[in-house]
Amino acid sequence: MNEDVDVEALHEAWTDSLREAWAGESSQEASIGGPLPETWSQEWRGTERDVRVVMARMPVEVWDGFEFDRVPWSRFPHVFGPGEEIAEELGRLRLADAPTVLSVIRGLWGCVCHAGQPSAPGALAVPFLLRIAADPSTHHRSEVLWLVGGVARRIHNHGFGREDLLVVGYADDEWAFPACGYLQNWSIAAARDAITADAGIVTALLDDPDPEVRCVAAYVLAAASGEIGGVLAALHGRLRVEEVAPVRACLVLAIAQLAREHPDEEAVAWMRTCWADSGRPAEVRVSAALGWLCLVDDPIPDELRAALEATVTDELARVMAPVPWMHMIDSEAGLPRCVEHLLAPEASRVAARSPGA
Protein backbone atom coordinates (compact mmCIF):
# COMPACT_ATOMS: atom_id res chain seq x y z
CA MET A 1 0.00 0.00 0.00
CA ASN A 2 1.18 3.53 -0.80
CA GLU A 3 2.55 4.96 2.44
CA ASP A 4 1.20 8.38 1.43
CA VAL A 5 -2.38 7.11 1.58
CA ASP A 6 -4.19 8.19 4.74
CA VAL A 7 -6.18 5.05 5.52
CA GLU A 8 -7.97 6.64 8.45
CA ALA A 9 -9.07 9.58 6.30
CA LEU A 10 -10.39 7.21 3.64
CA HIS A 11 -12.37 5.30 6.25
CA GLU A 12 -13.77 8.55 7.65
CA ALA A 13 -14.80 9.70 4.16
CA TRP A 14 -16.53 6.37 3.51
CA THR A 15 -18.33 6.55 6.83
CA ASP A 16 -19.41 10.15 6.29
CA SER A 17 -20.72 9.45 2.79
CA LEU A 18 -22.79 6.47 3.96
CA ARG A 19 -24.09 8.37 6.99
CA GLU A 20 -25.26 11.23 4.79
CA ALA A 21 -26.83 8.88 2.28
CA TRP A 22 -28.75 6.85 4.85
CA ALA A 23 -29.94 10.03 6.56
CA GLY A 24 -31.19 11.41 3.24
CA GLU A 25 -28.92 14.42 3.44
CA SER A 26 -27.56 13.93 -0.10
CA SER A 27 -28.41 11.98 -3.21
CA GLN A 28 -27.17 8.42 -3.61
CA GLU A 29 -24.96 9.29 -6.55
CA ALA A 30 -23.45 12.33 -4.81
CA SER A 31 -22.76 10.34 -1.67
CA ILE A 32 -21.16 7.14 -2.89
CA GLY A 33 -21.11 7.41 -6.67
CA GLY A 34 -24.01 5.04 -7.33
CA PRO A 35 -26.96 3.21 -5.82
CA LEU A 36 -26.75 2.38 -2.15
CA PRO A 37 -25.39 -1.13 -1.54
CA GLU A 38 -27.74 -3.75 -0.12
CA THR A 39 -25.77 -3.95 3.09
CA TRP A 40 -27.91 -1.95 5.49
CA SER A 41 -31.11 0.06 5.65
CA GLN A 42 -32.81 2.01 8.39
CA GLU A 43 -35.93 0.01 7.55
CA TRP A 44 -34.21 -3.13 8.86
CA ARG A 45 -34.50 -1.90 12.44
CA GLY A 46 -36.35 -4.52 14.49
CA THR A 47 -36.46 -7.05 11.64
CA GLU A 48 -34.57 -10.24 10.78
CA ARG A 49 -31.91 -8.05 9.14
CA ASP A 50 -31.18 -6.37 12.47
CA VAL A 51 -28.36 -8.36 14.07
CA ARG A 52 -29.43 -7.22 17.54
CA VAL A 53 -32.83 -8.82 17.03
CA VAL A 54 -31.34 -12.02 15.62
CA MET A 55 -29.03 -12.38 18.60
CA ALA A 56 -31.80 -11.74 21.13
CA ARG A 57 -34.12 -14.31 19.55
CA MET A 58 -31.57 -17.08 19.19
CA PRO A 59 -32.24 -19.98 21.62
CA VAL A 60 -29.40 -20.49 24.08
CA GLU A 61 -29.08 -24.14 23.01
CA VAL A 62 -27.71 -22.89 19.68
CA TRP A 63 -24.75 -21.36 21.47
CA ASP A 64 -24.36 -24.14 24.03
CA GLY A 65 -24.52 -26.85 21.37
CA PHE A 66 -22.31 -25.05 18.87
CA GLU A 67 -25.11 -25.37 16.31
CA PHE A 68 -23.41 -23.13 13.77
CA ASP A 69 -25.80 -24.04 10.98
CA ARG A 70 -28.74 -22.43 12.81
CA VAL A 71 -27.12 -19.00 12.68
CA PRO A 72 -28.01 -16.84 9.63
CA TRP A 73 -24.42 -15.97 8.76
CA SER A 74 -25.18 -15.24 5.09
CA ARG A 75 -27.57 -12.46 6.06
CA PHE A 76 -24.75 -10.34 7.48
CA PRO A 77 -21.59 -9.37 5.55
CA HIS A 78 -18.05 -8.84 6.69
CA VAL A 79 -15.46 -6.91 4.75
CA PHE A 80 -14.63 -9.84 2.43
CA GLY A 81 -18.18 -11.05 1.79
CA PRO A 82 -20.96 -13.13 3.40
CA GLY A 83 -20.29 -14.67 6.78
CA GLU A 84 -20.86 -18.39 6.19
CA GLU A 85 -17.20 -19.34 6.48
CA ILE A 86 -17.02 -17.83 9.98
CA ALA A 87 -18.80 -20.92 11.33
CA GLU A 88 -16.16 -23.23 9.89
CA GLU A 89 -13.37 -21.16 11.43
CA LEU A 90 -15.06 -21.19 14.83
CA GLY A 91 -15.28 -24.96 14.63
CA ARG A 92 -11.55 -25.15 13.94
CA LEU A 93 -10.81 -23.10 17.06
CA ARG A 94 -12.29 -25.86 19.21
CA LEU A 95 -10.22 -28.70 17.75
CA ALA A 96 -7.04 -27.30 16.25
CA ASP A 97 -3.53 -27.39 17.67
CA ALA A 98 -1.95 -24.26 19.13
CA PRO A 99 -0.28 -22.87 15.96
CA THR A 100 -3.43 -23.44 13.92
CA VAL A 101 -5.56 -21.72 16.53
CA LEU A 102 -3.40 -18.60 16.33
CA SER A 103 -3.70 -18.64 12.55
CA VAL A 104 -7.47 -18.99 12.76
CA ILE A 105 -7.73 -16.13 15.25
CA ARG A 106 -5.69 -13.87 12.97
CA GLY A 107 -7.96 -14.78 10.08
CA LEU A 108 -11.07 -14.06 12.12
CA TRP A 109 -9.71 -10.67 13.14
CA GLY A 110 -9.19 -9.85 9.47
CA CYS A 111 -12.76 -10.79 8.60
CA VAL A 112 -15.00 -9.79 11.49
CA CYS A 113 -12.96 -6.93 12.96
CA HIS A 114 -11.03 -5.74 9.92
CA ALA A 115 -8.78 -2.77 10.74
CA GLY A 116 -10.43 -2.67 14.17
CA GLN A 117 -13.92 -2.19 12.68
CA PRO A 118 -16.47 -4.59 14.23
CA SER A 119 -18.95 -6.30 11.93
CA ALA A 120 -22.21 -8.18 12.40
CA PRO A 121 -20.69 -11.67 11.88
CA GLY A 122 -18.32 -10.82 14.73
CA ALA A 123 -21.27 -10.18 17.00
CA LEU A 124 -22.85 -13.48 15.93
CA ALA A 125 -19.60 -15.21 16.85
CA VAL A 126 -19.39 -13.78 20.39
CA PRO A 127 -21.45 -16.44 22.24
CA PHE A 128 -19.46 -19.20 20.53
CA LEU A 129 -16.14 -17.49 21.23
CA LEU A 130 -16.97 -17.12 24.92
CA ARG A 131 -17.78 -20.81 25.23
CA ILE A 132 -14.63 -21.74 23.34
CA ALA A 133 -12.54 -19.54 25.64
CA ALA A 134 -14.17 -21.10 28.71
CA ASP A 135 -13.08 -24.59 27.64
CA PRO A 136 -9.75 -25.36 29.38
CA SER A 137 -8.72 -27.58 26.46
CA THR A 138 -8.77 -24.66 24.02
CA HIS A 139 -5.41 -23.23 23.01
CA HIS A 140 -4.71 -19.50 23.31
CA ARG A 141 -7.87 -18.77 25.24
CA SER A 142 -6.81 -15.22 26.08
CA GLU A 143 -6.44 -14.49 22.36
CA VAL A 144 -9.96 -15.78 21.79
CA LEU A 145 -11.20 -13.36 24.45
CA TRP A 146 -9.23 -10.53 22.85
CA LEU A 147 -11.32 -11.00 19.72
CA VAL A 148 -14.53 -10.74 21.76
CA GLY A 149 -13.29 -7.50 23.30
CA GLY A 150 -12.45 -6.18 19.86
CA VAL A 151 -15.82 -6.82 18.21
CA ALA A 152 -17.62 -5.24 21.20
CA ARG A 153 -15.87 -1.85 20.91
CA ARG A 154 -15.71 1.05 18.51
CA ILE A 155 -12.52 1.85 16.67
CA HIS A 156 -10.61 4.73 18.24
CA ASN A 157 -10.31 7.12 15.31
CA HIS A 158 -10.09 10.21 17.45
CA GLY A 159 -7.25 9.40 19.79
CA PHE A 160 -6.99 8.37 23.40
CA GLY A 161 -7.75 11.51 25.37
CA ARG A 162 -9.95 11.84 28.43
CA GLU A 163 -13.10 11.86 26.28
CA ASP A 164 -12.09 8.83 24.22
CA LEU A 165 -10.04 6.20 26.04
CA LEU A 166 -12.91 4.48 27.86
CA VAL A 167 -15.65 4.96 25.25
CA VAL A 168 -17.09 1.61 24.09
CA GLY A 169 -19.85 2.31 21.58
CA TYR A 170 -21.21 5.08 19.40
CA ALA A 171 -23.84 7.63 20.37
CA ASP A 172 -27.29 7.16 18.82
CA ASP A 173 -26.75 10.09 16.47
CA GLU A 174 -23.21 9.00 15.54
CA TRP A 175 -23.52 6.45 12.76
CA ALA A 176 -20.42 4.50 11.82
CA PHE A 177 -19.96 2.10 8.91
CA PRO A 178 -17.09 -0.34 8.37
CA ALA A 179 -16.04 -1.20 4.84
CA CYS A 180 -18.73 -3.89 4.59
CA GLY A 181 -21.41 -1.18 4.87
CA TYR A 182 -23.50 -2.61 7.74
CA LEU A 183 -24.16 -0.15 10.55
CA GLN A 184 -21.42 -0.67 13.11
CA ASN A 185 -23.58 0.69 15.93
CA TRP A 186 -25.87 -2.33 15.64
CA SER A 187 -23.00 -4.80 15.47
CA ILE A 188 -21.34 -3.39 18.59
CA ALA A 189 -24.64 -3.28 20.48
CA ALA A 190 -25.35 -6.92 19.58
CA ALA A 191 -21.88 -7.99 20.75
CA ARG A 192 -22.25 -6.12 24.02
CA ASP A 193 -25.68 -7.62 24.64
CA ALA A 194 -24.21 -11.08 24.00
CA ILE A 195 -21.53 -10.45 26.62
CA THR A 196 -24.24 -9.39 29.05
CA ALA A 197 -26.32 -12.50 28.35
CA ASP A 198 -23.25 -14.66 29.03
CA ALA A 199 -21.84 -12.57 31.87
CA GLY A 200 -21.77 -15.67 34.05
CA ILE A 201 -19.32 -17.36 31.68
CA VAL A 202 -17.01 -14.36 31.65
CA THR A 203 -17.12 -13.60 35.37
CA ALA A 204 -16.15 -17.23 36.03
CA LEU A 205 -13.03 -16.61 33.92
CA LEU A 206 -11.94 -13.94 36.42
CA ASP A 207 -10.90 -16.88 38.61
CA ASP A 208 -9.15 -18.78 35.82
CA PRO A 209 -5.67 -20.14 36.67
CA ASP A 210 -4.20 -18.30 33.66
CA PRO A 211 -3.56 -14.62 34.51
CA GLU A 212 -3.74 -13.65 30.83
CA VAL A 213 -7.26 -15.08 30.68
CA ARG A 214 -8.21 -13.19 33.85
CA CYS A 215 -6.83 -9.98 32.40
CA VAL A 216 -8.74 -10.15 29.12
CA ALA A 217 -11.89 -11.43 30.83
CA ALA A 218 -11.99 -8.10 32.71
CA TYR A 219 -11.56 -6.28 29.40
CA VAL A 220 -14.51 -8.19 27.92
CA LEU A 221 -16.73 -7.56 30.94
CA ALA A 222 -16.04 -3.83 30.69
CA ALA A 223 -18.03 -3.81 27.44
CA ALA A 224 -21.17 -5.32 28.98
CA SER A 225 -24.38 -3.44 28.23
CA GLY A 226 -26.26 -4.61 31.33
CA GLU A 227 -26.16 -6.69 34.52
CA ILE A 228 -23.76 -4.03 35.76
CA GLY A 229 -24.26 -4.67 39.46
CA GLY A 230 -23.26 -8.30 39.20
CA VAL A 231 -20.35 -7.54 36.88
CA LEU A 232 -18.99 -4.84 39.20
CA ALA A 233 -19.33 -7.15 42.21
CA ALA A 234 -17.30 -9.80 40.39
CA LEU A 235 -14.59 -7.32 39.37
CA HIS A 236 -14.25 -5.87 42.87
CA GLY A 237 -14.31 -9.35 44.40
CA ARG A 238 -11.49 -10.51 42.17
CA LEU A 239 -9.48 -7.34 42.83
CA ARG A 240 -9.53 -8.03 46.58
CA VAL A 241 -7.66 -11.31 46.09
CA GLU A 242 -5.73 -10.75 42.86
CA GLU A 243 -1.94 -10.96 43.21
CA VAL A 244 -0.82 -10.42 39.60
CA ALA A 245 -0.11 -6.77 38.78
CA PRO A 246 -1.34 -6.60 35.14
CA VAL A 247 -4.58 -8.32 36.15
CA ARG A 248 -5.11 -5.81 38.95
CA ALA A 249 -4.64 -2.99 36.45
CA CYS A 250 -7.20 -4.62 34.11
CA LEU A 251 -9.73 -4.97 36.90
CA VAL A 252 -9.45 -1.30 37.88
CA LEU A 253 -9.72 -0.09 34.28
CA ALA A 254 -12.68 -2.38 33.67
CA ILE A 255 -14.47 -0.84 36.65
CA ALA A 256 -13.67 2.61 35.25
CA GLN A 257 -14.91 1.73 31.77
CA LEU A 258 -18.20 0.44 33.14
CA ALA A 259 -18.58 3.69 35.08
CA ARG A 260 -17.91 5.62 31.87
CA GLU A 261 -20.63 3.75 29.99
CA HIS A 262 -23.03 3.51 32.95
CA PRO A 263 -22.48 6.64 35.08
CA ASP A 264 -21.56 5.69 38.64
CA GLU A 265 -20.59 8.37 41.15
CA GLU A 266 -19.52 5.75 43.68
CA ALA A 267 -16.98 4.42 41.17
CA VAL A 268 -15.67 7.95 40.59
CA ALA A 269 -15.15 8.45 44.32
CA TRP A 270 -13.54 5.01 44.63
CA MET A 271 -11.10 5.83 41.82
CA ARG A 272 -10.03 9.01 43.56
CA THR A 273 -9.53 7.16 46.83
CA CYS A 274 -7.36 4.60 45.05
CA TRP A 275 -5.04 6.96 43.24
CA ALA A 276 -4.62 9.14 46.33
CA ASP A 277 -3.64 6.16 48.52
CA SER A 278 0.14 5.77 48.48
CA GLY A 279 -0.23 2.41 50.21
CA ARG A 280 -1.85 0.77 47.19
CA PRO A 281 0.17 -1.04 44.49
CA ALA A 282 1.55 1.23 41.78
CA GLU A 283 -0.49 -0.37 38.98
CA VAL A 284 -3.71 0.12 40.97
CA ARG A 285 -2.94 3.76 41.73
CA VAL A 286 -2.02 4.54 38.14
CA SER A 287 -4.99 2.69 36.62
CA ALA A 288 -7.33 4.45 39.05
CA ALA A 289 -5.80 7.80 38.14
CA LEU A 290 -6.28 7.13 34.42
CA GLY A 291 -9.83 5.97 35.04
CA TRP A 292 -10.68 8.98 37.19
CA LEU A 293 -9.37 11.37 34.53
CA CYS A 294 -11.72 9.78 32.00
CA LEU A 295 -14.73 9.95 34.31
CA VAL A 296 -14.64 13.62 35.33
CA ASP A 297 -14.22 17.02 33.73
CA ASP A 298 -12.33 18.44 36.71
CA PRO A 299 -9.01 20.20 36.22
CA ILE A 300 -6.14 17.84 36.90
CA PRO A 301 -5.11 18.13 40.57
CA ASP A 302 -1.47 18.71 41.36
CA GLU A 303 -1.53 15.69 43.67
CA LEU A 304 -2.63 13.45 40.78
CA ARG A 305 0.21 14.68 38.61
CA ALA A 306 2.58 14.05 41.51
CA ALA A 307 1.19 10.55 42.01
CA LEU A 308 1.70 9.69 38.34
CA GLU A 309 5.18 11.17 38.33
CA ALA A 310 6.10 9.04 41.32
CA THR A 311 4.62 5.79 40.08
CA VAL A 312 4.90 5.74 36.26
CA THR A 313 8.29 4.17 35.67
CA ASP A 314 9.83 2.15 32.86
CA GLU A 315 9.31 -0.95 34.96
CA LEU A 316 5.62 -0.21 35.50
CA ALA A 317 5.23 0.43 31.77
CA ARG A 318 6.61 -3.06 31.12
CA VAL A 319 4.30 -4.54 33.73
CA MET A 320 1.25 -2.87 32.20
CA ALA A 321 2.18 -3.51 28.56
CA PRO A 322 -0.16 -6.56 28.34
CA VAL A 323 -3.13 -4.54 29.64
CA PRO A 324 -5.52 -4.22 26.66
CA TRP A 325 -6.19 -0.51 27.12
CA MET A 326 -2.45 0.18 27.06
CA HIS A 327 -1.72 -2.32 24.30
CA MET A 328 -4.15 -0.70 21.87
CA ILE A 329 -2.32 2.61 22.26
CA ASP A 330 1.18 1.18 21.87
CA SER A 331 2.24 -2.45 22.28
CA GLU A 332 5.41 -1.44 24.13
CA ALA A 333 5.05 2.15 25.37
CA GLY A 334 1.31 2.15 26.05
CA LEU A 335 1.40 3.50 29.59
CA PRO A 336 3.63 6.56 29.05
CA ARG A 337 1.75 7.40 25.85
CA CYS A 338 -1.57 7.05 27.63
CA VAL A 339 -0.45 9.34 30.42
CA GLU A 340 0.77 11.84 27.84
CA HIS A 341 -2.64 11.82 26.12
CA LEU A 342 -4.60 12.18 29.34
CA LEU A 343 -2.43 14.95 30.74
CA ALA A 344 -2.68 17.01 27.57
CA PRO A 345 -2.99 20.76 28.21
CA GLU A 346 -6.36 21.79 29.56
CA ALA A 347 -6.62 24.43 26.81
CA SER A 348 -6.79 21.76 24.11
CA ARG A 349 -9.44 19.91 26.10
CA VAL A 350 -11.59 23.05 26.35
CA ALA A 351 -11.07 23.87 22.68
CA ALA A 352 -12.15 20.41 21.64
CA ARG A 353 -15.44 20.90 23.50
CA SER A 354 -16.19 24.43 22.30
CA PRO A 355 -18.93 25.01 19.67
CA GLY A 356 -17.56 25.08 16.16
CA ALA A 357 -14.27 23.46 17.16
Side-chain angles (χ1 to χ4, degrees):
M1 179 178 287
N2 188 337
E3 293 182 357
D4 295 330
V5 174
D6 189 334
V7 176
E8 182 174 311
L10 289 175
H11 174 251
E12 286 292 319
W14 165 259
T15 296
D16 290 344
S17 68
L18 279 179
R19 186 185 299 115
E20 291 172 0
W22 295 129
E25 296 174 1
S26 61
S27 70
Q28 292 179 347
E29 283 70 20
S31 297
I32 59 174
L36 291 172
E38 290 297 322
T39 54
W40 182 78
S41 168
Q42 293 186 76
E43 296 179 357
W44 294 352
R45 183 186 300 274
T47 73
E48 63 181 13
R49 300 297 295 272
D50 185 336
V51 69
R52 300 169 300 177
V53 172
V54 170
M55 296 284 287
R57 292 177 179 173
M58 194 71 65
V60 70
E61 57 262 27
V62 171
W63 316 123
D64 289 343
F66 294 95
E67 298 179 20
F68 301 121
D69 59 343
R70 293 179 61 183
V71 178
W73 303 100
S74 61
R75 203 179 297 163
F76 302 99
H78 56 72
V79 67
F80 297 117
E84 296 99 322
E85 73 277 13
I86 302 303
E88 180 180 349
E89 295 303 288
L90 291 172
R92 293 178 67 199
L93 280 182
R94 301 181 66 203
L95 304 173
D97 58 19
T100 302
V101 165
L102 279 180
S103 176
V104 171
I105 292 172
R106 285 193 290 267
L108 285 170
W109 270 105
C111 289
V112 303
C113 202
H114 184 73
Q117 303 167 32
S119 63
L124 293 169
V126 165
F128 295 123
L129 290 169
L130 291 178
R131 285 159 175 78
I132 291 169
D135 183 349
S137 68
T138 300
H139 296 287
H140 300 293
R141 293 184 299 133
S142 64
E143 298 292 337
V144 175
L145 288 173
W146 260 102
L147 181 55
V148 174
V151 300
R153 284 174 169 81
R154 60 178 288 174
I155 187 172
H156 279 268
N157 284 337
H158 305 297
F160 298 95
R162 294 174 69 176
E163 296 87 359
D164 305 300
L165 178 65
L166 295 183
V167 174
V168 177
Y170 291 96
D172 292 340
D173 60 351
E174 186 183 12
W175 292 1
F177 295 89
C180 64
Y182 192 88
L183 185 66
Q184 200 170 110
N185 306 52
W186 288 6
S187 300
I188 293 172
R192 296 179 66 191
D193 289 346
I195 291 169
T196 300
D198 285 327
I201 294 175
V202 194
T203 54
L205 292 175
L206 293 176
D207 296 322
D208 194 88
D210 185 344
E212 293 183 5
V213 169
R214 300 199 298 274
C215 192
V216 190
Y219 182 61
V220 170
L221 284 169
S225 61
E227 303 294 336
I228 304 306
V231 171
L232 283 172
L235 292 168
H236 279 287
R238 183 65 221 179
L239 182 60
R240 285 192 288 270
V241 299
E242 182 58 59
E243 297 181 352
V244 178
V247 183
R248 285 197 292 248
C250 285
L251 292 165
V252 173
L253 287 168
I255 293 167
Q257 187 152 54
L258 285 168
R260 173 64 175 77
E261 291 294 310
H262 312 273
D264 182 350
E265 289 302 320
E266 290 186 6
V268 175
W270 179 79
M271 292 283 163
R272 175 147 194 156
T273 298
C274 285
W275 66 251
D277 184 356
S278 60
R280 292 182 182 265
E283 70 280 355
V284 170
R285 292 191 72 195
V286 168
S287 298
L290 302 181
W292 185 85
L293 285 169
C294 295
L295 294 175
V296 302
D297 292 326
D298 303 20
I300 302 173
D302 290 341
E303 57 266 37
L304 185 146
R305 292 182 182 274
L308 289 175
E309 182 177 352
T311 53
V312 175
T313 63
D314 290 343
E315 176 58 27
L316 185 62
R318 286 191 290 272
V319 167
M320 292 184 61
V323 172
W325 292 269
M326 302 299 104
H327 191 275
M328 67 184 180
I329 298 173
D330 189 303
S331 60
E332 296 181 357
L335 177 58
R337 288 185 180 275
C338 182
V339 172
E340 179 182 354
H341 286 304
L342 297 187
L343 296 186
E346 294 296 299
S348 66
R349 182 172 167 80
V350 173
R353 289 169 171 264
S354 62

